[in-house]
Amino acid sequence: MVKVGIVGGTGYTGVELLRLLAQHPQAQVAVITSRSEAGVRVDAMYPNLRGHYPDLAFSEPDVATLGACDVVFFATPHGVAHALAGDLLAAGTKVIDLSADFRLQDATEWAKWYGQPHGAPDLLPEAVYGLPEVNREAIKQARLIAVPGCYPTAAQLGLVPLLEAGLADATQLIADCKSGVSGAGRGASVGSLFSEAGESMKAYGVAGHRHLPEIRQGLRRAAGGEVGLTFVPHLTPMIRGIHATLYANVADQSVDLQALFEQRYASEPFVDVMPAGSHPETRSVRGANVCRIAVHRPQGGDLVVVLSVIDNLVKGASGQALQNMNILFGLDEQLGLSHAALLP
Amino acid sequence: MVKVGIVGGTGYTGVELLRLLAQHPQAQVAVITSRSEAGVRVDAMYPNLRGHYPDLAFSEPDVATLGACDVVFFATPHGVAHALAGDLLAAGTKVIDLSADFRLQDATEWAKWYGQPHGAPDLLPEAVYGLPEVNREAIKQARLIAVPGCYPTAAQLGLVPLLEAGLADATQLIADCKSGVSGAGRGASVGSLFSEAGESMKAYGVAGHRHLPEIRQGLRRAAGGEVGLTFVPHLTPMIRGIHATLYANVADQSVDLQALFEQRYASEPFVDVMPAGSHPETRSVRGANVCRIAVHRPQGGDLVVVLSVIDNLVKGASGQALQNMNILFGLDEQLGLSHAALLP
Amino acid sequence: MVKVGIVGGTGYTGVELLRLLAQHPQAQVAVITSRSEAGVRVDAMYPNLRGHYPDLAFSEPDVATLGACDVVFFATPHGVAHALAGDLLAAGTKVIDLSADFRLQDATEWAKWYGQPHGAPDLLPEAVYGLPEVNREAIKQARLIAVPGCYPTAAQLGLVPLLEAGLADATQLIADCKSGVSGAGRGASVGSLFSEAGESMKAYGVAGHRHLPEIRQGLRRAAGGEVGLTFVPHLTPMIRGIHATLYANVADQSVDLQALFEQRYASEPFVDVMPAGSHPETRSVRGANVCRIAVHRPQGGDLVVVLSVIDNLVKGASGQALQNMNILFGLDEQLGLSHAALLP
Amino acid sequence: MVKVGIVGGTGYTGVELLRLLAQHPQAQVAVITSRSEAGVRVDAMYPNLRGHYPDLAFSEPDVATLGACDVVFFATPHGVAHALAGDLLAAGTKVIDLSADFRLQDATEWAKWYGQPHGAPDLLPEAVYGLPEVNREAIKQARLIAVPGCYPTAAQLGLVPLLEAGLADATQLIADCKSGVSGAGRGASVGSLFSEAGESMKAYGVAGHRHLPEIRQGLRRAAGGEVGLTFVPHLTPMIRGIHATLYANVADQSVDLQALFEQRYASEPFVDVMPAGSHPETRSVRGANVCRIAVHRPQGGDLVVVLSVIDNLVKGASGQALQNMNILFGLDEQLGLSHAALLP
């Protein structure tokens, strides 16, 4: 039984961790912290958990208590894991960070996009990027895992097969991504109000979004060299879901793209390459730790269109974090993550 | 291992049965029928099920095949179970009917509300109304179970404690109920279009809705006599969920309503009496087999307000059907039904 | 040309005033104030207004500038109009207050519900409750108008005909009301987030909502005596719209309710009594200054159900404010308010 | 006063025409036809129109009656205008066709995409493509106008300035477009149900959508030569709105794109070039005949991103049709179309 701690569990990735862990047969939540909600029962804040955690309340973050866990998840804004991860690792606790703190391997790049110095550059060399489909072996050995962002998960899983195979023109990639509003978190901001985000669609951050360097870093790894990427995120009037529409030039008309994708993900339990001609819907992954992908070559041209959908809170955050935990602790990778998506 | 058949599995209660059964450790779907989709794989129609039923396809309904199952669920429009239930029972198969065919004990009343003669009046005497919280012992012995409607489940669970205790004026009950659009099913009708039902609210069926006699029948049982009920359903712009706002006069000011409800449901695994002052949200039960209830006496008056929420497709249909199956086959009543609701 | 000032125009009632005034041929916005947004162009904040107010920016509130207007609208939280109305009236400016400051005629009652002393009790005697359908003559003569709340508008217009006619049992009235999320305003609060309020339904304020005393006051006026009212508001996942479902006992079975309502509102331009058997949808009034009403007597019983829908930001706020302005300044009451609702 | 006929007014473009015409001071609806709803009052079908067309009912289509109008709008599925337009033109009536019948100038191309022979190829030479921003002079002289499709309007207005100026690489254009569900019409189809299209996002028609050849035709005109276009439409969970995200390579880094767009549309009343750095929201044009555009060059690269939003039912259909009518009859182009969008 893995003894689990969660730092900062009041946001959406926190409650989603709790929902998923409630079904996990080999993990138990020992502690969950929140400065603002210390003393409040988790099911008082999240009534969907009533009956599942009868004795669990938020507590003040405390390294000693957290350090007694086998693993600690950070479901926090950036900066928090920087401050605490080192102490926990020193205590022998594994760290799985859902925030952006250890996703970029270059501390300078991190500082540029997040507007503050990197708080734990010494830990960067051992931080493992937790995308199991490209990094499973490293994850097995890791102490500190950076769970990928939601957009980066959808975009990388869709483009990696083309880049690894050297088929796509890596200098002209486009990721036109659409996200549900929960991606903006549970913080009270005007832009995320029902009356602002509902019944409307807009792009945002076209000039530069923090997930751009993360996606680029992952694609570089796959391509084995520099990449040119245009990333346009859009806010979509739904709660959960990311739909990535990915464009890449693949001049080689002889390649069987469907077969390429199917082979690349043949042994991946959480990537579903759909039949040729499919259009995956985000609802087909709602609540489930799955990425569904379809690959198209419209009108037989050079431009290939990859459609990739995930639930931003599951495969794009908390589910992927548990997948990492399963790998890290030698458990069946699908443990606690095998339920079907909620449709309709 | 319970061998399960499903008749008419292309609608929302059908896919929800499949979603829940995929997680059930003691049941296996052997056959699922659909005249219109015979030959189509279930996961071609419902991509959320990809990976869960790799070999399952819809087949033509066939009594011999269905009769080889331990239990057959009907997820059909009314009238279908009338035609088939008798043969299945004769074959020794249990029948759990999610349609309205056996909910009303009076065939004449049924004919009046459904506009056609009752197709199997001889089976009515043994049909058991499958609301476990009021009927568990009968369910254990049943061969034929009528799963309650969605509105009736929410309304009865909210009012039954007051009526059983003889506290409410049974002649003046009101059920003001709000339902998500999935309650109207997956049939293509203009009124259920996104552009018609979205961003709008309306009452419907004020003159008389088919769930009215069903609720009334259940309340009569609880009250031990006639009841007067006004039932106003409303279409609400959400996919899942029923919110029943129930009004009853309780002249006795000395009764502790909170305690009454808590005691009534103390041993019920799927009814959650929330703390005094609560306002349950439908999303707190999304995807879960739970009814959450709160009881209020606004401004200390005689009129008591009970708030009762369910997921119309789970506790209001497919989840309750599985709860009945568990009871019927002597399994742990919570088997396959213990997951937390999806929030947000 | 009426010279208009608006205090606190950054919220939803403010932008809605601007939208409607942009089409009004006899009114011109001279000044709009906001402390927090002073200096910002209104169309920078509300891009739907681009092209309509090329030179209008928010300014610091200033009594001299506002006092030079013919009329000043307050689209502010409660308390602001208390502080400023007196000075404006002294300057000869009419005041139309969309906030709750002057809705309750009893300062003590106001203080009880709003948790602070009434800030201008001396002005209460001349404050006119701006529901034209019951108060048109007083409005014509008024200097200070309290625009009714959104729930109170829908509830009163639905119940007043029964009470004025002495038909309903005034001691047992119920208003089960459903509101879109814009009713909670544009303030950044967790409960109004898309991911919190979307795809869910809940009651709130069952123990007592601030609109309760306001509705009660209006119904007393209509009934000519005390009333007993239970008011349960619900948050509904739509942006605009209020659906009031109203219950009243009308023992007299001989009365023609349809005729009663049609006669009561025969000359009202903004109240639409729909044909018998109708179920008004909130979308049928989206963006329009209309209240649509249908009256039902389900199963011929004593309990009458009135369905009443408005757009909370139009007939429930800014549209009604302009209707008051038109009356006040002797203009055609429909001026600038005659456009059709936006459907779908 | 322009005497207006409408053929096929039961769909969303039909009701939107009626909504807009109700405010038009120089046009009057004389006849509206529908085979299926003949005899039904328009406001019985569309209650938002109650009070606006007290005497208007759908009638059987009849060339004599329609031919007595000054102009007839077709708000029909494709094929209907083919059959009737010739007779109306012969009767001296102008035809403004909102369907696809006359949008493609090549009858063979039309037949290929619509799966049936073109029904009136003889009329094609005089059919004018009704995008006023590129075709105003021709519209003034036209008898037969093909109102552009919704996607084509958003895509062309966003790309035309780059192509006319010869700045974009015309061989590699991408239009990633997101549409609200009303674009699929009011027909009862499973895919447009609230419970299917809600809370989800998906691409569709990636292999080829009927608007592709229309957009391509318009872009060819602007580019003065062949173009290569990839068009990926997406279904978005909102009722109204199109968001086109357009990608084009503009190698010339010296050009001031903001100035280019502002100059191109300087005198256009219905195209709003937003300030540099803007992200237009679809809700900012809801109900209004406006296209808002923003142009970006992310990270200073060669790939330019143009964001273009319209209301698919207004600037993408009925509003644009009235804009054409105004031009055609020498009226002020903004007549009846100058109202602000509905926000929130």
Side-chain angles (χ1 to χ4, degrees):
Chain A
M1 188 67 68
V2 179
K3 192 175 172 189
V4 169
I6 301 174
V7 178
T10 61
Y12 291 142
T13 54
V15 63
E16 191 68 354
L17 273 174
L18 291 174
R19 181 181 73 90
L20 294 169
L21 283 164
Q23 306 309 117
H24 196 291
Q26 295 290 330
Q28 192 164 20
V29 180
V31 57
I32 183 164
T33 74
S34 162
R35 280 189 205 286
S36 61
E37 305 292 334
V40 175
R41 287 172 53 131
V42 296
D43 62 6
M45 188 157 187
Y46 288 114
N48 63 318
L49 300 177
R50 285 174 61 85
H52 294 280
Y53 294 98
D55 302 319
L56 190 66
F58 295 105
S59 59
E60 290 282 349
D62 168 59
V63 171
T65 314
L66 290 167
C69 295
D70 298 312
V71 63
V72 167
F73 293 93
F74 283 85
T76 45
H78 62 268
V80 179
H82 282 172
L84 291 176
D87 289 349
L88 293 175
L89 293 176
T93 298
K94 307 271 191 179
V95 170
I96 300 180
D97 178 21
L98 284 81
S99 86
D101 278 7
F102 297 101
R103 289 181 192 156
L104 299 185
Q105 294 179 309
D106 180 335
T108 308
E109 178 94 346
W110 194 94
K112 173 184 148 199
W113 286 92
Y114 289 88
Q116 62 190 74
H118 195 285
D122 51 311
L123 295 178
L124 278 179
E126 72 161 305
V128 171
Y129 190 68
L131 191 61
E133 291 78 9
V134 301
N135 233 8
R136 187 172 281 107
E137 291 311 308
I139 292 167
K140 286 180 185 169
Q141 316 299 329
R143 296 198 308 160
L144 168 58
I145 290 174
V147 181
C150 48
Y151 287 125
T153 297
Q156 289 177 77
L157 291 177
L159 286 173
V160 151
L162 295 176
L163 294 171
E164 287 177 348
L167 287 166
D169 175 355
T171 68
Q172 292 200 43
L173 302 168
I174 295 175
D176 188 293
C177 296
K178 300 88 178 169
S179 174
V181 184
S182 66
R186 195 171 166 273
S189 75
V190 171
S192 300
L193 292 178
F194 187 91
S195 303
E196 298 287 311
E199 282 293 308
S200 192
M201 180 97 192
K202 68 165 180 177
Y204 66 101
V206 177
H209 182 284
R210 285 167 174 174
H211 284 179
L212 173 63
E214 182 186 343
I215 303 174
R216 216 156 39 189
Q217 169 183 282
L219 298 185
R220 268 200 306 262
R221 197 183 327 211
E226 273 311 305
V227 301
L229 171 69
T230 299
F231 168 49
V232 179
H234 298 75
L235 191 65
T236 307
M238 58 189 184
I239 297 174
R240 291 170 179 246
I242 283 186
H243 187 294
T245 312
L246 307 163
Y247 300 89
N249 269 293
V250 177
D252 182 350
Q253 291 275 345
S254 70
V255 63
D256 180 339
L257 294 170
Q258 183 69 21
L260 177 82
F261 275 75
E262 288 181 0
Q263 285 157 21
R264 175 58 180 85
Y265 293 124
S267 60
E268 287 299 338
F270 295 120
V271 179
D272 173 26
V273 179
M274 299 187 72
S278 295
H279 299 95
E281 306 171 81
T282 61
R283 67 181 187 142
S284 77
V285 298
R286 179 164 47 215
N289 193 53
V290 182
C291 176
R292 295 197 205 279
I293 294 179
V295 56
H296 292 255
R297 192 190 272 279
Q299 291 95 50
D302 282 358
L303 198 70
V304 165
V305 179
V306 183
L307 312 173
S308 167
V309 302
I310 59 169
D311 182 325
N312 53 304
L313 296 179
V314 191
K315 184 60 179 165
S318 304
Q320 188 145 266
L322 290 193
Q323 187 182 351
N324 275 282
M325 182 192 80
N326 285 342
I327 297 170
L328 205 53
F329 287 86
L331 304 171
D332 174 354
E333 193 169 327
Q334 298 182 254
L335 214 58
L337 294 172
S338 60
H339 54 281
L342 191 75
L343 178 161
Chain B
M1 187 67 69
V2 179
K3 191 175 171 189
V4 169
I6 301 174
V7 178
T10 61
Y12 292 143
T13 55
V15 63
E16 191 69 354
L17 272 174
L18 290 175
R19 180 180 75 90
L20 295 169
L21 282 164
Q23 306 309 118
H24 197 291
Q26 295 291 329
Q28 190 164 21
V29 180
V31 57
I32 183 164
T33 75
S34 162
R35 278 190 207 286
S36 62
E37 305 292 333
V40 175
R41 287 172 53 132
V42 296
D43 62 6
M45 188 157 188
Y46 288 115
N48 64 318
L49 300 177
R50 285 174 61 85
H52 295 279
Y53 293 99
D55 302 319
L56 190 66
F58 295 105
S59 59
E60 290 281 349
D62 167 62
V63 173
T65 314
L66 290 167
C69 296
D70 297 313
V71 62
V72 167
F73 293 93
F74 283 85
T76 45
H78 62 268
V80 178
H82 282 172
L84 291 176
D87 289 348
L88 293 175
L89 293 176
T93 297
K94 307 270 191 181
V95 169
I96 299 180
D97 178 21
L98 285 81
S99 86
D101 279 7
F102 297 101
R103 290 181 192 156
L104 299 185
Q105 295 179 307
D106 180 334
T108 309
E109 179 94 346
W110 194 94
K112 174 184 148 200
W113 285 94
Y114 290 87
Q116 63 190 73
H118 194 285
D122 51 310
L123 295 178
L124 277 179
E126 72 161 307
V128 171
Y129 190 70
L131 191 62
E133 291 77 9
V134 302
N135 233 9
R136 187 172 283 107
E137 292 311 309
I139 292 167
K140 287 180 183 168
Q141 317 299 328
R143 296 199 307 161
L144 169 58
I145 290 174
V147 181
C150 48
Y151 286 125
T153 296
Q156 289 176 76
L157 291 176
L159 286 172
V160 151
L162 296 175
L163 293 170
E164 286 177 347
L167 287 167
D169 176 354
T171 69
Q172 292 201 44
L173 302 168
I174 295 174
D176 188 293
C177 296
K178 299 88 177 169
S179 173
V181 185
S182 66
R186 194 171 166 273
S189 75
V190 171
S192 300
L193 292 178
F194 186 91
S195 303
E196 297 288 310
E199 283 293 307
S200 191
M201 179 97 190
K202 68 165 181 178
Y204 65 102
V206 177
H209 181 284
R210 286 167 173 172
H211 285 178
L212 173 63
E214 181 185 344
I215 303 173
R216 212 154 44 189
Q217 169 183 284
L219 299 184
R220 267 200 307 262
R221 198 183 326 212
E226 273 310 306
V227 301
L229 171 70
T230 299
F231 168 49
V232 179
H234 299 75
L235 191 65
T236 307
M238 58 190 183
I239 297 174
R240 289 170 180 246
I242 283 185
H243 187 293
T245 311
L246 308 162
Y247 300 88
N249 269 292
V250 177
D252 181 352
Q253 291 275 347
S254 69
V255 63
D256 180 340
L257 294 170
Q258 183 69 23
L260 176 82
F261 274 75
E262 288 181 358
Q263 286 157 20
R264 175 60 180 84
Y265 293 124
S267 60
E268 287 298 339
F270 295 120
V271 180
D272 173 27
V273 178
M274 298 187 73
S278 294
H279 298 96
E281 305 172 82
T282 60
R283 64 178 188 145
S284 77
V285 298
R286 181 165 43 215
N289 194 53
V290 182
C291 176
R292 298 198 203 279
I293 293 178
V295 56
H296 292 256
R297 193 190 273 278
Q299 291 95 48
D302 283 358
L303 198 68
V304 166
V305 178
V306 183
L307 312 173
S308 167
V309 302
I310 59 169
D311 182 325
N312 54 303
L313 296 180
V314 190
K315 184 60 179 167
S318 304
Q320 186 144 268
L322 290 193
Q323 187 182 352
N324 274 282
M325 182 192 80
N326 286 343
I327 296 171
L328 204 54
F329 287 86
L331 304 171
D332 174 353
E333 194 168 329
Q334 297 182 255
L335 215 58
L337 295 171
S338 61
H339 54 281
L342 191 75
L343 180 160
Chain C
M1 188 67 69
V2 179
K3 191 175 171 188
V4 170
I6 300 173
V7 179
T10 62
Y12 291 143
T13 54
V15 62
E16 191 69 352
L17 273 174
L18 290 174
R19 180 181 74 90
L20 294 169
L21 283 164
Q23 306 309 118
H24 196 291
Q26 296 290 331
Q28 191 164 21
V29 181
V31 57
I32 183 164
T33 75
S34 162
R35 279 190 206 286
S36 62
E37 305 292 334
V40 175
R41 287 172 53 132
V42 297
D43 62 6
M45 187 156 188
Y46 288 115
N48 63 317
L49 300 177
R50 285 174 61 84
H52 294 280
Y53 293 98
D55 302 319
L56 190 66
F58 295 105
S59 59
E60 290 281 350
D62 167 59
V63 173
T65 315
L66 291 166
C69 296
D70 298 312
V71 62
V72 166
F73 293 92
F74 283 84
T76 45
H78 62 268
V80 178
H82 282 172
L84 291 176
D87 289 349
L88 293 175
L89 293 176
T93 298
K94 307 271 192 180
V95 170
I96 299 180
D97 178 21
L98 284 82
S99 87
D101 279 7
F102 297 100
R103 290 181 192 157
L104 300 185
Q105 294 179 308
D106 180 334
T108 309
E109 178 94 347
W110 195 93
K112 174 184 148 199
W113 285 93
Y114 290 88
Q116 62 190 74
H118 196 285
D122 51 310
L123 295 178
L124 276 179
E126 71 161 308
V128 171
Y129 190 70
L131 191 60
E133 291 76 9
V134 301
N135 233 9
R136 187 170 283 107
E137 290 312 309
I139 292 167
K140 287 180 185 169
Q141 317 299 329
R143 294 200 308 161
L144 169 58
I145 290 174
V147 181
C150 48
Y151 287 125
T153 297
Q156 289 176 76
L157 291 177
L159 286 172
V160 151
L162 295 175
L163 294 171
E164 286 177 347
L167 287 166
D169 175 355
T171 68
Q172 293 200 43
L173 302 168
I174 295 174
D176 187 293
C177 296
K178 299 88 177 168
S179 173
V181 184
S182 66
R186 195 171 166 274
S189 75
V190 171
S192 300
L193 292 178
F194 187 90
S195 303
E196 298 288 312
E199 282 293 306
S200 193
M201 179 97 192
K202 68 165 180 178
Y204 65 101
V206 176
H209 181 284
R210 285 167 174 175
H211 284 179
L212 173 63
E214 181 185 344
I215 303 174
R216 216 156 40 189
Q217 168 183 282
L219 298 184
R220 267 199 307 262
R221 197 184 326 212
E226 273 310 307
V227 300
L229 171 70
T230 299
F231 168 50
V232 179
H234 299 75
L235 191 65
T236 306
M238 58 190 183
I239 297 174
R240 290 170 179 246
I242 284 185
H243 187 293
T245 312
L246 308 162
Y247 301 89
N249 270 292
V250 177
D252 181 351
Q253 291 275 346
S254 70
V255 62
D256 181 340
L257 294 169
Q258 183 69 23
L260 177 82
F261 275 75
E262 288 180 0
Q263 285 157 20
R264 175 60 180 83
Y265 293 124
S267 60
E268 288 299 340
F270 295 119
V271 179
D272 173 27
V273 179
M274 297 187 74
S278 295
H279 298 96
E281 305 171 82
T282 61
R283 65 179 188 144
S284 76
V285 298
R286 179 163 46 214
N289 193 53
V290 182
C291 176
R292 296 197 204 279
I293 293 179
V295 56
H296 293 255
R297 194 190 271 280
Q299 291 95 50
D302 283 358
L303 198 69
V304 166
V305 178
V306 183
L307 312 173
S308 167
V309 302
I310 59 169
D311 182 324
N312 53 303
L313 296 179
V314 190
K315 184 60 179 164
S318 304
Q320 188 146 265
L322 290 193
Q323 187 182 353
N324 274 283
M325 182 193 80
N326 285 343
I327 297 171
L328 205 53
F329 287 86
L331 304 171
D332 175 353
E333 194 168 329
Q334 297 183 255
L335 215 57
L337 295 171
S338 60
H339 54 281
L342 191 75
L343 180 160
Chain D
M1 187 67 67
V2 180
K3 191 174 171 189
V4 169
I6 301 174
V7 179
T10 61
Y12 291 143
T13 54
V15 64
E16 190 69 354
L17 273 174
L18 290 175
R19 180 180 75 90
L20 295 169
L21 283 164
Q23 306 309 116
H24 197 291
Q26 295 290 330
Q28 190 164 22
V29 181
V31 57
I32 182 165
T33 75
S34 162
R35 277 189 207 288
S36 62
E37 305 292 334
V40 175
R41 287 172 54 132
V42 296
D43 63 5
M45 188 155 187
Y46 288 115
N48 64 318
L49 300 176
R50 284 174 61 85
H52 294 279
Y53 293 99
D55 302 319
L56 190 66
F58 295 106
S59 59
E60 290 281 349
D62 167 60
V63 172
T65 315
L66 290 166
C69 295
D70 297 313
V71 62
V72 167
F73 293 93
F74 283 85
T76 46
H78 62 268
V80 179
H82 282 172
L84 291 176
D87 289 349
L88 294 175
L89 294 176
T93 298
K94 307 270 192 181
V95 170
I96 299 179
D97 178 21
L98 284 81
S99 86
D101 279 8
F102 298 101
R103 289 181 193 157
L104 299 185
Q105 294 178 307
D106 179 335
T108 309
E109 178 96 345
W110 194 94
K112 174 185 147 199
W113 286 93
Y114 289 87
Q116 63 191 73
H118 195 286
D122 51 310
L123 295 177
L124 278 179
E126 72 161 306
V128 171
Y129 190 69
L131 191 62
E133 291 76 10
V134 302
N135 234 8
R136 188 172 282 108
E137 291 311 308
I139 293 167
K140 286 180 186 171
Q141 317 300 328
R143 295 198 309 161
L144 169 58
I145 289 174
V147 181
C150 47
Y151 287 125
T153 296
Q156 290 177 74
L157 291 177
L159 287 172
V160 150
L162 295 175
L163 293 171
E164 287 177 347
L167 287 166
D169 175 354
T171 68
Q172 293 200 44
L173 303 168
I174 296 175
D176 188 292
C177 296
K178 299 87 177 169
S179 173
V181 184
S182 66
R186 195 171 166 273
S189 74
V190 171
S192 300
L193 291 178
F194 186 91
S195 302
E196 298 287 312
E199 282 293 308
S200 192
M201 180 96 191
K202 68 166 180 178
Y204 65 101
V206 176
H209 182 284
R210 286 167 172 172
H211 284 179
L212 172 64
E214 182 185 343
I215 303 173
R216 213 155 41 188
Q217 169 184 283
L219 298 185
R220 267 200 306 262
R221 198 183 327 212
E226 274 310 307
V227 300
L229 171 70
T230 300
F231 168 48
V232 179
H234 299 75
L235 191 66
T236 306
M238 58 189 183
I239 297 174
R240 289 171 179 245
I242 283 185
H243 187 293
T245 312
L246 308 162
Y247 300 89
N249 269 291
V250 178
D252 181 351
Q253 291 275 347
S254 70
V255 62
D256 181 339
L257 294 170
Q258 183 69 22
L260 177 82
F261 274 75
E262 288 180 0
Q263 285 157 20
R264 175 60 180 83
Y265 293 124
S267 60
E268 287 299 339
F270 295 119
V271 179
D272 173 26
V273 178
M274 298 188 73
S278 295
H279 299 96
E281 305 172 81
T282 61
R283 65 179 189 144
S284 76
V285 298
R286 180 165 44 215
N289 194 52
V290 183
C291 176
R292 297 198 204 278
I293 293 179
V295 55
H296 292 255
R297 193 191 273 277
Q299 292 94 49
D302 283 358
L303 198 69
V304 166
V305 178
V306 183
L307 312 173
S308 167
V309 301
I310 59 169
D311 182 325
N312 54 303
L313 296 179
V314 191
K315 183 60 178 165
S318 303
Q320 187 144 268
L322 290 194
Q323 187 182 350
N324 275 282
M325 182 193 80
N326 285 343
I327 297 171
L328 204 54
F329 288 85
L331 303 171
D332 174 353
E333 193 169 329
Q334 297 182 256
L335 214 59
L337 295 171
S338 59
H339 54 281
L342 191 75
L343 179 161

